[in-house]
Amino acid sequence: MAMRIGILTSGGDCPGLNAVIRGVAKAAYQLMDDVEIIGIQDGYRGLIHGEYRVMQQSDFSGILTLGGTILGTSRQPFKQMRVIGEDNIDKVKNMKANYKKMKLDCLLILGGNGTHKTAALLAEEGLNVIGLPKTIDNDLYGTDVTFGFHSALNIATEAIDRIHTTAASHGRVMVVELMGNKTGWLTLYAGIAGGADIILLPEIPYSPEVVAAAVRKRAESGKAFSILAVAEGAMSKEEAKLKRKERLRLRAEAGYKQVSDQIASFVEEKTGCETRVVVPGHLQRGGNPSAYDRVLSTRFGAYAARLIQEKKFGVTVAMKGNTVTENKLSEIAGKAKLVSPDDQMIQVAKDMGISFGD
Ligand code: F6P
């Protein structure tokens, strides 16, 4: 009897998804005699609606370097999974029924935090699930690194590098807003790699006065330009007292589309320095995976194939030290890995004279 493996990719895409899919498939074909891989379309949406296809070995060739996901993806909020909406569809019931219909022995789920919560739910419901840690945010609990992070980091760093030269030529303050709503790993790393002067993260609320003072101090010491690396979820100390919805409402009412506009506005007002905003946005998730992510994704995928062979389910693949291992889904789901203000990286940045506005 063939081992039937279902695979889906869920949540925001990132470079490395295809490299993981390929890693799993190649290793599974090597390790087991009779393997059938079923690709589920557009994440949980395909599992809910029964959209899938039997893949051929050739489907996994030529995709190591390809960005995005050959399976497609979608966002299906965990909060809605047990809610029956207007379409009257019982999502969990459908996912279980389609798993059965596909005659799966296991289901591989590539995704970030939200995806892992649903993966844990499906494992609780009795499905044989293996998770794989994807996200450019690098905020999945229990793993040192997620695939996609390093590729996004390279792009974000290049963005800051390119801003540097134009900032220096014009003697301007440049606010570069990077992805990361709840966590600032990407901004912290790219800020350090790109030599930013000020780094603002969701985990460390800033004081506008301190940010402006840091810019002024640079200007007074003869440095005509400043670079601010700002996570999209950054917030001031005052905003941190509010719920997210309220924060966004007040910001919009003040006429700001995003936090970087608000920051640019007060920096210009308080320092008199000409200020511009740059938002690389989804560029950070596009294109091919970095060499690091190709290796990481291949390691993760091959490890998942071994887990399948050992019939070890209800887990998600992780990196600890430089060793690939696994965590129980029930132990990591619903937890996030945030930047701690005590993190060694924060200290390193502060030792470099970088201000966090705190
Ligand atoms: O989780 C990855 C991520 O890129 C976040 O950094 C960002 O806040 C979010 O996805 C953007 O989501 P979407 O692609 O749905 O706009």
Side-chain angles (χ1 to χ4, degrees):
M1 278 276 277
M3 170 69 85
R4 289 178 66 86
I5 305 167
I7 306 190
L8 66 82
T9 55
S10 162
D13 74 329
C14 73
L17 282 162
N18 289 325
V20 172
I21 293 170
R22 169 186 176 271
V24 173
K26 280 201 176 258
Y29 290 129
Q30 287 281 337
L31 292 172
M32 291 166 271
D33 291 334
D34 199 1
V35 169
E36 197 132 55
I37 299 181
I38 291 93
I40 296 157
Q41 192 64 37
D42 298 341
Y44 290 121
R45 187 158 71 203
L47 190 58
I48 294 166
H49 297 287
E51 288 157 16
Y52 53 86
R53 64 183 190 275
V54 176
M55 316 273 293
Q56 307 304 322
Q57 290 213 25
S58 56
D59 290 324
F60 305 106
S61 287
I63 62 169
L64 173 64
T65 62
L66 192 65
T69 162
I70 58 167
L71 296 175
T73 188
S74 63
R75 289 197 186 276
Q76 300 287 318
F78 169 72
K79 272 191 191 156
Q80 298 299 317
M81 280 300 176
R82 290 207 187 267
V83 178
I84 312 242
E86 278 175 8
D87 55 8
N88 225 12
I89 290 175
D90 183 332
K91 300 184 223 19
V92 176
K93 195 172 149 201
N94 272 25
M95 288 194 280
K96 287 166 73 177
N98 282 321
Y99 179 95
K100 257 194 160 171
K101 194 171 151 202
M102 289 183 270
K103 296 192 175 61
L104 296 184
D105 292 297
C106 63
L107 174 62
L108 265 60
I109 297 177
L110 284 60
N113 272 321
T115 299
H116 273 77
K117 284 194 242 176
T118 300
L121 178 158
L122 293 176
E124 264 169 44
E125 290 284 332
L127 307 192
N128 293 331
V129 173
I130 296 175
L132 283 136
K134 167 237 73 169
T135 165
I136 66 160
D137 296 337
N138 198 28
D139 61 346
L140 207 73
Y141 190 82
T143 184
D144 296 343
V145 66
T146 53
F147 65 89
F149 173 65
H150 275 262
S151 304
L153 174 58
N154 287 351
I155 301 164
T157 302
E158 192 187 340
I160 298 178
D161 287 350
R162 288 181 182 273
I163 288 306
H164 237 116
T165 56
T166 167
S169 306
H170 284 267
R172 280 174 175 158
V173 175
M174 302 295 281
V175 182
V176 185
E177 180 178 308
L178 300 173
M179 276 188 163
N181 236 320
K182 295 190 182 135
T183 184
W185 290 110
L186 183 58
T187 305
L188 176 60
Y189 274 70
I192 291 175
D197 308 298
I198 295 162
I199 297 179
L200 303 179
L201 312 177
E203 294 93 334
I204 306 179
Y206 62 82
S207 146
E209 283 68 33
V210 176
V211 174
V215 172
R216 219 178 291 117
K217 192 173 155 205
R218 270 181 61 83
E220 282 163 8
S221 72
K223 306 224 171 86
F225 74 95
S226 286
I227 308 271
L228 280 73
V230 175
E232 63 180 324
M235 62 189 91
S236 68
K237 287 182 196 277
E238 280 307 306
E239 287 177 322
K241 295 178 189 156
L242 308 171
K243 290 231 157 69
R244 184 178 139 81
K245 264 197 178 159
E246 183 65 358
R247 193 162 62 233
L248 297 184
R249 189 182 65 78
L250 288 178
R251 197 176 283 162
E253 270 177 21
Y256 301 118
K257 233 178 118 193
Q258 52 233 349
V259 66
S260 44
D261 295 330
Q262 190 174 350
I263 292 169
S265 164
F266 73 67
V267 165
E268 199 161 65
E269 189 191 306
K270 288 178 196 292
T271 65
C273 299
E274 194 181 20
T275 305
R276 294 283 190 272
V277 171
V278 176
V279 185
H282 289 80
L283 278 177
Q284 293 161 95
R285 297 220 310 251
N288 50 1
S290 64
Y292 179 93
D293 267 334
R294 292 177 203 182
V295 175
L296 183 69
S297 300
T298 303
R299 289 180 74 183
F300 279 167
Y303 192 86
R306 289 209 173 257
L307 290 173
I308 299 170
Q309 190 190 30
E310 292 163 20
K311 299 195 167 47
K312 206 164 180 184
F313 304 121
V315 295
T316 190
V317 177
M319 178 71 84
K320 289 182 190 164
N322 191 26
T323 304
V324 182
T325 178
E326 77 273 353
N327 290 313
K328 285 197 177 124
L329 277 170
S330 57
E331 284 172 9
I332 62 107
K335 299 181 192 166
K337 182 183 73 182
L338 302 179
V339 178
S340 158
D342 303 325
D343 196 283
Q344 200 179 37
M345 289 282 289
I346 300 287
Q347 197 49 56
V348 167
K350 287 190 171 173
D351 290 347
M352 295 296 112
I354 296 172
S355 167
F356 287 85
D358 56 339

